[in-house]
Amino acid sequence: MKKISLILIGISLALSAQAVEPKKVIGFRQGTFQVIAWNFGTLAAMAKGDIPYDKAQAEIHANRLVMATEMVKESFIPGTYIGESKANPNIATKESIFNERYTALLEATKLLASAAGDLSTLKPQVGKTGGTCKACHDDFKMD
Ligand code: ASC
């Protein structure tokens, strides 16, 4: 019963999202990726030593990264890979590969949030998380 309710909620969310204009969805997707890039960029700069490492700031940026990564999934709606979007329309046809890439990214950001409290654990997890960004861009982002 619980499963059926969850499925129904999922369907209604998908339908309500589909009712949104593609332009708005693209704006939401691009804005959310800017939030992702801003927060990941700050963590990458700390990992590289370009800015000083700060435990509290690193944890804030990593937690935002998890939240934005969770949000961005809602923006991948078929019919919105058009116009100014850099999303490759094959996201819709290679959905299972795309979902695997997305899950790897989300897992990596969660591990990054756990690793952010110490520079020695932050550094390698920044590298691994960046790898999951790149893996998805290689197949699904058009530059
Ligand atoms: C960033 C950013 C990306 C990723 C990617 C990692 O900081 O804006 O798109 O990292 O370059 O490979």
Side-chain angles (χ1 to χ4, degrees):
M1 201 54 208
K2 203 173 170 191
K3 202 169 180 184
I4 292 171
S5 324
L6 285 176
I7 290 168
L8 290 176
I9 291 168
I11 291 170
S12 56
L13 281 176
L15 289 178
S16 61
Q18 250 153 10
V20 180
E21 269 175 70
K23 223 180 146 151
K24 282 195 180 166
V25 176
I26 295 165
F28 164 61
R29 184 163 60 232
Q30 293 183 339
T32 309
F33 274 122
Q34 283 185 15
V35 172
I36 289 173
W38 175 265
N39 288 286
F40 183 68
T42 307
L43 293 165
M46 283 187 196
K48 281 191 273 179
D50 291 346
I51 59 171
Y53 172 74
D54 180 280
K55 177 177 152 71
Q57 285 300 314
E59 286 175 341
I60 288 170
H61 284 96
N63 287 325
R64 287 182 191 158
L65 185 63
V66 174
M67 203 191 293
T69 302
E70 286 169 345
M71 280 168 54
V72 84
K73 186 69 161 65
E74 291 165 34
S75 76
F76 287 97
I77 300 169
T80 66
Y81 312 133
I82 53 171
E84 285 173 29
S85 174
K86 290 181 188 170
N88 191 321
N90 75 12
I91 290 168
T93 54
K94 295 185 173 178
E95 204 185 349
S96 65
I97 301 173
F98 178 76
N99 285 337
E100 273 174 35
R101 298 275 199 281
Y102 171 76
T103 303
L105 169 69
L106 183 60
E107 290 300 310
T109 63
K110 287 180 180 171
L111 290 173
L112 188 54
S114 315
D118 194 287
L119 183 58
S120 69
T121 47
L122 175 76
K123 273 188 192 178
Q125 195 54 35
V126 161
K128 285 180 190 162
T129 306
T132 65
C133 300
K134 188 175 183 305
C136 202
H137 293 174
D138 287 349
D139 284 341
F140 297 114
K141 186 181 176 194
M142 301 187 297
D143 287 297

PDB file of all heavy atoms in Angstrom, residues 33-34 36-42 44 126-127 129-135 137 141, ligand 1:
ATOM      1  N   PHE A  33      22.461  23.871 -11.677  1.00  0.00           N
ATOM      2  CA  PHE A  33      23.850  23.489 -11.990  1.00  0.00           C
ATOM      3  C   PHE A  33      24.829  24.604 -11.616  1.00  0.00           C
ATOM      4  O   PHE A  33      25.966  24.328 -11.252  1.00  0.00           O
ATOM      5  CB  PHE A  33      24.008  23.078 -13.464  1.00  0.00           C
ATOM      6  CG  PHE A  33      23.696  21.616 -13.695  1.00  0.00           C
ATOM      7  CD1 PHE A  33      22.709  21.229 -14.587  1.00  0.00           C
ATOM      8  CD2 PHE A  33      24.385  20.619 -13.009  1.00  0.00           C
ATOM      9  CE1 PHE A  33      22.412  19.889 -14.789  1.00  0.00           C
ATOM     10  CE2 PHE A  33      24.102  19.280 -13.198  1.00  0.00           C
ATOM     11  CZ  PHE A  33      23.109  18.911 -14.101  1.00  0.00           C
ATOM     12  N   GLN A  34      24.374  25.847 -11.679  1.00  0.00           N
ATOM     13  CA  GLN A  34      25.254  26.942 -11.215  1.00  0.00           C
ATOM     14  C   GLN A  34      25.483  26.839  -9.713  1.00  0.00           C
ATOM     15  O   GLN A  34      26.588  27.090  -9.228  1.00  0.00           O
ATOM     16  CB  GLN A  34      24.670  28.295 -11.582  1.00  0.00           C
ATOM     17  CG  GLN A  34      24.869  28.627 -13.052  1.00  0.00           C
ATOM     18  CD  GLN A  34      24.398  30.027 -13.410  1.00  0.00           C
ATOM     19  OE1 GLN A  34      24.173  30.858 -12.548  1.00  0.00           O
ATOM     20  NE2 GLN A  34      24.251  30.263 -14.701  1.00  0.00           N
ATOM     21  N   ILE A  36      25.412  24.056  -8.055  1.00  0.00           N
ATOM     22  CA  ILE A  36      26.312  22.907  -7.918  1.00  0.00           C
ATOM     23  C   ILE A  36      27.754  23.342  -8.206  1.00  0.00           C
ATOM     24  O   ILE A  36      28.671  23.054  -7.427  1.00  0.00           O
ATOM     25  CB  ILE A  36      25.852  21.751  -8.853  1.00  0.00           C
ATOM     26  CG1 ILE A  36      24.552  21.144  -8.307  1.00  0.00           C
ATOM     27  CG2 ILE A  36      26.948  20.694  -9.012  1.00  0.00           C
ATOM     28  CD1 ILE A  36      23.896  20.114  -9.221  1.00  0.00           C
ATOM     29  N   ALA A  37      27.946  24.049  -9.314  1.00  0.00           N
ATOM     30  CA  ALA A  37      29.305  24.459  -9.718  1.00  0.00           C
ATOM     31  C   ALA A  37      29.919  25.427  -8.696  1.00  0.00           C
ATOM     32  O   ALA A  37      31.112  25.342  -8.392  1.00  0.00           O
ATOM     33  CB  ALA A  37      29.272  25.098 -11.105  1.00  0.00           C
ATOM     34  N   TRP A  38      29.095  26.311  -8.152  1.00  0.00           N
ATOM     35  CA  TRP A  38      29.589  27.278  -7.162  1.00  0.00           C
ATOM     36  C   TRP A  38      30.090  26.546  -5.913  1.00  0.00           C
ATOM     37  O   TRP A  38      31.188  26.808  -5.416  1.00  0.00           O
ATOM     38  CB  TRP A  38      28.466  28.258  -6.787  1.00  0.00           C
ATOM     39  CG  TRP A  38      28.838  29.202  -5.693  1.00  0.00           C
ATOM     40  CD1 TRP A  38      28.589  29.048  -4.359  1.00  0.00           C
ATOM     41  CD2 TRP A  38      29.561  30.430  -5.839  1.00  0.00           C
ATOM     42  NE1 TRP A  38      29.103  30.109  -3.667  1.00  0.00           N
ATOM     43  CE2 TRP A  38      29.703  30.973  -4.540  1.00  0.00           C
ATOM     44  CE3 TRP A  38      30.079  31.124  -6.930  1.00  0.00           C
ATOM     45  CZ2 TRP A  38      30.363  32.175  -4.296  1.00  0.00           C
ATOM     46  CZ3 TRP A  38      30.729  32.322  -6.693  1.00  0.00           C
ATOM     47  CH2 TRP A  38      30.866  32.832  -5.396  1.00  0.00           C
ATOM     48  N   ASN A  39      29.270  25.655  -5.420  1.00  0.00           N
ATOM     49  CA  ASN A  39      29.624  24.973  -4.168  1.00  0.00           C
ATOM     50  C   ASN A  39      30.733  23.951  -4.374  1.00  0.00           C
ATOM     51  O   ASN A  39      31.648  23.845  -3.547  1.00  0.00           O
ATOM     52  CB  ASN A  39      28.373  24.355  -3.539  1.00  0.00           C
ATOM     53  CG  ASN A  39      27.476  25.433  -2.974  1.00  0.00           C
ATOM     54  OD1 ASN A  39      27.783  26.021  -1.936  1.00  0.00           O
ATOM     55  ND2 ASN A  39      26.388  25.742  -3.671  1.00  0.00           N
ATOM     56  N   PHE A  40      30.680  23.220  -5.508  1.00  0.00           N
ATOM     57  CA  PHE A  40      31.769  22.275  -5.775  1.00  0.00           C
ATOM     58  C   PHE A  40      33.067  23.032  -6.050  1.00  0.00           C
ATOM     59  O   PHE A  40      34.148  22.617  -5.597  1.00  0.00           O
ATOM     60  CB  PHE A  40      31.422  21.341  -6.949  1.00  0.00           C
ATOM     61  CG  PHE A  40      32.493  20.317  -7.191  1.00  0.00           C
ATOM     62  CD1 PHE A  40      32.729  19.315  -6.279  1.00  0.00           C
ATOM     63  CD2 PHE A  40      33.285  20.387  -8.337  1.00  0.00           C
ATOM     64  CE1 PHE A  40      33.741  18.383  -6.478  1.00  0.00           C
ATOM     65  CE2 PHE A  40      34.300  19.461  -8.548  1.00  0.00           C
ATOM     66  CZ  PHE A  40      34.522  18.451  -7.620  1.00  0.00           C
ATOM     67  N   GLY A  41      32.946  24.142  -6.764  1.00  0.00           N
ATOM     68  CA  GLY A  41      34.129  24.947  -7.091  1.00  0.00           C
ATOM     69  C   GLY A  41      34.845  25.429  -5.833  1.00  0.00           C
ATOM     70  O   GLY A  41      36.083  25.436  -5.766  1.00  0.00           O
ATOM     71  N   THR A  42      34.064  25.827  -4.834  1.00  0.00           N
ATOM     72  CA  THR A  42      34.656  26.283  -3.575  1.00  0.00           C
ATOM     73  C   THR A  42      35.392  25.132  -2.886  1.00  0.00           C
ATOM     74  O   THR A  42      36.513  25.305  -2.387  1.00  0.00           O
ATOM     75  CB  THR A  42      33.555  26.847  -2.649  1.00  0.00           C
ATOM     76  OG1 THR A  42      32.826  27.834  -3.372  1.00  0.00           O
ATOM     77  CG2 THR A  42      34.149  27.469  -1.398  1.00  0.00           C
ATOM     78  N   ALA A  44      36.603  22.470  -4.365  1.00  0.00           N
ATOM     79  CA  ALA A  44      37.772  22.127  -5.191  1.00  0.00           C
ATOM     80  C   ALA A  44      38.907  23.113  -4.927  1.00  0.00           C
ATOM     81  O   ALA A  44      40.082  22.724  -4.857  1.00  0.00           O
ATOM     82  CB  ALA A  44      37.383  22.115  -6.675  1.00  0.00           C
ATOM     83  N   VAL A 126      36.908  15.066  -3.311  1.00  0.00           N
ATOM     84  CA  VAL A 126      36.680  16.098  -4.337  1.00  0.00           C
ATOM     85  C   VAL A 126      37.036  15.514  -5.708  1.00  0.00           C
ATOM     86  O   VAL A 126      36.287  15.667  -6.675  1.00  0.00           O
ATOM     87  CB  VAL A 126      37.502  17.379  -4.049  1.00  0.00           C
ATOM     88  CG1 VAL A 126      37.648  18.242  -5.301  1.00  0.00           C
ATOM     89  CG2 VAL A 126      36.840  18.203  -2.950  1.00  0.00           C
ATOM     90  N   GLY A 127      38.153  14.817  -5.767  1.00  0.00           N
ATOM     91  CA  GLY A 127      38.575  14.205  -7.034  1.00  0.00           C
ATOM     92  C   GLY A 127      37.560  13.192  -7.532  1.00  0.00           C
ATOM     93  O   GLY A 127      37.190  13.196  -8.709  1.00  0.00           O
ATOM     94  N   THR A 129      34.380  12.968  -6.769  1.00  0.00           N
ATOM     95  CA  THR A 129      33.110  13.625  -7.125  1.00  0.00           C
ATOM     96  C   THR A 129      33.232  14.310  -8.493  1.00  0.00           C
ATOM     97  O   THR A 129      32.341  14.182  -9.337  1.00  0.00           O
ATOM     98  CB  THR A 129      32.705  14.652  -6.037  1.00  0.00           C
ATOM     99  OG1 THR A 129      32.691  13.980  -4.769  1.00  0.00           O
ATOM    100  CG2 THR A 129      31.333  15.235  -6.309  1.00  0.00           C
ATOM    101  N   GLY A 130      34.358  14.984  -8.711  1.00  0.00           N
ATOM    102  CA  GLY A 130      34.604  15.619 -10.014  1.00  0.00           C
ATOM    103  C   GLY A 130      34.577  14.583 -11.135  1.00  0.00           C
ATOM    104  O   GLY A 130      34.095  14.859 -12.235  1.00  0.00           O
ATOM    105  N   GLY A 131      35.050  13.395 -10.826  1.00  0.00           N
ATOM    106  CA  GLY A 131      35.023  12.304 -11.818  1.00  0.00           C
ATOM    107  C   GLY A 131      33.595  11.933 -12.194  1.00  0.00           C
ATOM    108  O   GLY A 131      33.323  11.645 -13.366  1.00  0.00           O
ATOM    109  N   THR A 132      32.689  11.976 -11.217  1.00  0.00           N
ATOM    110  CA  THR A 132      31.293  11.631 -11.538  1.00  0.00           C
ATOM    111  C   THR A 132      30.614  12.771 -12.308  1.00  0.00           C
ATOM    112  O   THR A 132      29.709  12.512 -13.101  1.00  0.00           O
ATOM    113  CB  THR A 132      30.457  11.267 -10.271  1.00  0.00           C
ATOM    114  OG1 THR A 132      30.346  12.413  -9.421  1.00  0.00           O
ATOM    115  CG2 THR A 132      31.066  10.111  -9.507  1.00  0.00           C
ATOM    116  N   CYS A 133      31.040  14.024 -12.073  1.00  0.00           N
ATOM    117  CA  CYS A 133      30.531  15.146 -12.902  1.00  0.00           C
ATOM    118  C   CYS A 133      30.922  14.893 -14.351  1.00  0.00           C
ATOM    119  O   CYS A 133      30.096  14.959 -15.264  1.00  0.00           O
ATOM    120  CB  CYS A 133      31.133  16.487 -12.482  1.00  0.00           C
ATOM    121  SG  CYS A 133      30.823  16.999 -10.787  1.00  0.00           S
ATOM    122  N   LYS A 134      32.215  14.607 -14.524  1.00  0.00           N
ATOM    123  CA  LYS A 134      32.776  14.464 -15.868  1.00  0.00           C
ATOM    124  C   LYS A 134      32.144  13.276 -16.612  1.00  0.00           C
ATOM    125  O   LYS A 134      31.833  13.377 -17.794  1.00  0.00           O
ATOM    126  CB  LYS A 134      34.296  14.295 -15.779  1.00  0.00           C
ATOM    127  CG  LYS A 134      34.972  14.327 -17.123  1.00  0.00           C
ATOM    128  CD  LYS A 134      36.488  14.284 -17.009  1.00  0.00           C
ATOM    129  CE  LYS A 134      37.146  14.381 -18.376  1.00  0.00           C
ATOM    130  NZ  LYS A 134      36.677  13.362 -19.319  1.00  0.00           N
ATOM    131  N   ALA A 135      31.960  12.164 -15.895  1.00  0.00           N
ATOM    132  CA  ALA A 135      31.408  10.954 -16.538  1.00  0.00           C
ATOM    133  C   ALA A 135      30.051  11.257 -17.169  1.00  0.00           C
ATOM    134  O   ALA A 135      29.747  10.772 -18.266  1.00  0.00           O
ATOM    135  CB  ALA A 135      31.278   9.834 -15.506  1.00  0.00           C
ATOM    136  N   HIS A 137      28.945  14.413 -18.011  1.00  0.00           N
ATOM    137  CA  HIS A 137      29.136  15.409 -19.074  1.00  0.00           C
ATOM    138  C   HIS A 137      29.612  14.758 -20.370  1.00  0.00           C
ATOM    139  O   HIS A 137      29.162  15.130 -21.453  1.00  0.00           O
ATOM    140  CB  HIS A 137      30.163  16.470 -18.647  1.00  0.00           C
ATOM    141  CG  HIS A 137      29.681  17.327 -17.510  1.00  0.00           C
ATOM    142  ND1 HIS A 137      30.468  18.260 -16.894  1.00  0.00           N
ATOM    143  CD2 HIS A 137      28.469  17.376 -16.892  1.00  0.00           C
ATOM    144  CE1 HIS A 137      29.769  18.846 -15.930  1.00  0.00           C
ATOM    145  NE2 HIS A 137      28.565  18.327 -15.904  1.00  0.00           N
ATOM    146  N   LYS A 141      26.238  15.856 -21.849  1.00  0.00           N
ATOM    147  CA  LYS A 141      26.254  17.327 -21.957  1.00  0.00           C
ATOM    148  C   LYS A 141      26.860  17.731 -23.299  1.00  0.00           C
ATOM    149  O   LYS A 141      27.921  17.226 -23.668  1.00  0.00           O
ATOM    150  CB  LYS A 141      27.042  17.950 -20.810  1.00  0.00           C
ATOM    151  CG  LYS A 141      26.960  19.475 -20.805  1.00  0.00           C
ATOM    152  CD  LYS A 141      27.764  20.076 -19.664  1.00  0.00           C
ATOM    153  CE  LYS A 141      27.754  21.590 -19.741  1.00  0.00           C
ATOM    154  NZ  LYS A 141      28.763  22.200 -18.878  1.00  0.00           N
TER     155      LYS A 141
HETATM  156  C1  ASC B   1      33.404  21.878 -11.766  1.00  0.00           C
HETATM  157  C2  ASC B   1      32.454  22.208 -12.753  1.00  0.00           C
HETATM  158  C3  ASC B   1      32.206  21.116 -13.471  1.00  0.00           C
HETATM  159  C4  ASC B   1      32.954  19.955 -12.926  1.00  0.00           C
HETATM  160  C5  ASC B   1      33.792  19.223 -13.915  1.00  0.00           C
HETATM  161  C6  ASC B   1      34.494  18.068 -13.241  1.00  0.00           C
HETATM  162  O1  ASC B   1      33.858  22.619 -10.926  1.00  0.00           O
HETATM  163  O2  ASC B   1      31.907  23.404 -12.962  1.00  0.00           O
HETATM  164  O3  ASC B   1      31.382  21.018 -14.475  1.00  0.00           O
HETATM  165  O4  ASC B   1      33.748  20.538 -11.878  1.00  0.00           O
HETATM  166  O5  ASC B   1      34.731  20.068 -14.493  1.00  0.00           O
HETATM  167  O6  ASC B   1      35.141  17.302 -14.175  1.00  0.00           O
END
